[in-house]
DNA sequence: TAGATTGTTAATCGATTAACAATC
DNA sequence: TAGATTGTTAATCGATTAACAATC
């Protein structure tokens, strides 16, 4: 029943986490089944798009019934790789690194953070939310001895490219980049970069609140 | 020469901050002119797309020459609303709110953060990076007395919707939402929400590093 | 069975790319 | 002038939406 042959477009992939989130909420609210129509209404998508998206991975529903909330959620979680025991390390335990380690639920997304690295002697040797903080000097050695899937980059932008390179050389599969630079990787290494560009996000918002020259509604 | 009539698509808009960032870097490196071809190569886009994107807003280049780096940067900054003196307040001075206020360069993106709000008595009355922290109880009153364009939501997800509502009722034009929920606003209020969903981002990365069943390259 | 809703193909729409005349 | 590169229209490609037979 599975398909998953033809490359799935990035647009579809980026909707999967949203499906997952909504289905998780529905499940918590005790919903057992949902139709593509109802899910679409809740998420602001067309039912057609949802069915088309899921069709990329095979059929998870049942005609005349709809989708089982829990089953669909779990299937999507599986597709997203939530059950693969992914590991991560955090580079840079400044404000942002700290915030991520302490507040962000890596576990909910299938990741285990196993170590953090910094240059600041004041934090090296401490733990942040149970995660040990090592000197950045130990990074390369650490990567040799541990399988790390993702490096989280929360260092200042000027050192980000260097850190990226070391992570890639150490064999990580992906970079989660919070530094406001486009990382160019050592070629041909086949490492995926996912950027979280705060500035781009805020500027997009800036554009959207700026558009109407006259601030009184009345458009379209 | 300007156009800007037909709705500009969201895909184009989300590329504008990237253009702005790249042009800023080029300018810093001393570049004076650039062709759509060279810019495209640097950014991983086609020259055609760049010209088409800019065409949405009118012509900023010169045939046979290309684009003046500084002029184009400034024009795009203008389009993005960087010179409108936007103001913002931050709701929630936990790890993330703290990190944003201290590390994120709001000013570079045309925003002035004027206040922060929290429920914790330990931070109320203090300042974080020169920004005063008020009690959340004072929010509504504050919004009456100050023009605030954007509310930055870094509170726990369970209180985020309530905060959003209060901000919207207080007259903000946009919400920059870091809480991992889809905010549904009081209808018809015409407020823009820009989400920064860490979880969605990480799960997308998770998908991309999970795909090949066999971990040895060999794809194409 | 009748009703509902999916899986899946076909039609439409929009975004990207190509092409080229205009012009610096 | 000749060369370069844009502005802008046309062609292509891909993503979304519509339609409907399959089937629970």
């Amino acid at each position: 029943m599975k398909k998953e042959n033809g490359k799935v477009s990035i647009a579809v992939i980026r909707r999967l986490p949203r499906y997952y989130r909504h289905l998780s909420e529905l499940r918590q609210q005790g919903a057992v089944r949902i139709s593509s129509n109802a899910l679409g209404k809740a998420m602001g998508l067309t039912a057609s798009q949802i069915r088309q998206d899921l069709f990329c991975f095979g059929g998870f529903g049942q005609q005349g019934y709809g989708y089982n909330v829990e089953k669909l959620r779990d299937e999507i979680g599986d597709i997203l790789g939530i059950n693969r025991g992914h590991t991560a390390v955090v580079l840079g335990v400044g404000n942002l690194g700290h915030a991520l380690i302490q507040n962000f639920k890596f576990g909910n997304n299938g990741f285990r953070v196993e170590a953090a690295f910094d240059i600041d002697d004041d934090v090296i040797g401490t733990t942040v939310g149970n995660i040990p903080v090592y000197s950045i000097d130990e990074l390369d050695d650490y990567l040799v001895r541990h399988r790390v899937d993702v490096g989280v980059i929360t260092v200042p932008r000027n050192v980000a490219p260097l850190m990226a390179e070391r992570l890639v050389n150490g064999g990580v599969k992906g970079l989660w980049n919070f530094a406001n630079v486009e990382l160019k990787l050592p070629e041909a290494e086949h490492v995926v970069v996912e950027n979280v560009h705060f500035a781009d996000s805020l500027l997009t918002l800036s554009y959207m609140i700026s558009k109407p020259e006259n601030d009184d509604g009345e458009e379209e």
Side-chain angles (χ1 to χ4, degrees), chain A residues 16 32 34 51 55 69 103 106 108 110 136 163 183 211:
Chain A
L16 294 180
V32 173
I34 191 151
R51 294 206 300 278
F55 179 59
V69 172
N103 294 342
F106 280 92
N108 288 354
I136 197 76
M163 293 299 116
L183 300 175
K211 255 196 310 187

Side-chain angles (χ1 to χ4, degrees), chain A residues 149-220:
Chain A
D149 295 306
V150 163
V152 183
I153 299 181
T154 53
V155 296
R157 53 178 294 174
N158 56 313
V159 294
L162 183 66
M163 293 299 116
E165 197 184 323
R166 286 171 67 180
L167 285 163
V168 170
N169 289 336
V172 304
K173 301 195 193 110
L175 299 177
W176 199 22
N177 176 40
F178 289 79
N180 192 29
V181 277
E182 220 90 23
L183 300 175
K184 29 186 83 101
L185 304 182
E187 321 227 342
E189 274 289 0
H190 227 338
V191 169
V192 183
V193 179
E194 169 73 12
N195 292 300
V196 181
H197 281 314
F198 290 170
D200 290 12
S201 174
L202 183 58
L203 286 177
T204 303
L205 181 58
S206 174
Y207 174 88
M208 292 190 292
I209 63 173
S210 300
K211 255 196 310 187
E213 290 299 319
N214 41 5
D215 285 0
D216 11 284
E218 202 63 51
E219 59 194 52
E220 163 206 9

Side-chain angles (χ1 to χ4, degrees), chain A residues 22-132:
Chain A
H22 276 266
L23 289 163
S24 297
E25 269 175 34
L26 283 167
R27 189 187 61 150
Q28 265 187 327
Q29 291 160 16
V32 173
R33 72 166 275 273
I34 191 151
S35 67
S36 57
N37 205 277
L39 186 57
K41 207 155 283 173
M43 293 182 62
L45 303 173
T46 65
S48 206
Q49 178 161 64
I50 292 176
R51 294 206 300 278
Q52 189 69 275
D53 282 355
L54 298 177
F55 179 59
C56 294
F57 304 96
F60 304 125
Q62 195 169 310
Q63 277 115 326
Y65 173 82
Y67 301 88
N68 177 288
V69 172
E70 178 142 24
K71 172 160 170 282
L72 182 57
R73 172 186 177 274
D74 291 347
E75 291 275 13
I76 292 176
D78 239 37
I79 293 166
L80 287 170
I82 275 178
N83 304 308
R84 287 183 168 238
H86 285 143
T87 58
V89 296
V90 174
L91 266 58
V93 192
N95 282 301
L96 182 58
H98 224 268
L100 279 175
I101 293 171
Q102 298 220 304
N103 294 342
F104 182 69
K105 299 282 181 290
F106 280 92
N108 288 354
N109 302 288
F111 278 81
R112 206 170 55 246
V113 177
E114 303 203 312
F117 296 85
D118 205 298
I119 44 162
D120 183 355
D121 283 334
D122 289 350
V123 291
I124 293 169
T126 69
T127 64
V128 177
N130 288 327
I131 312 298

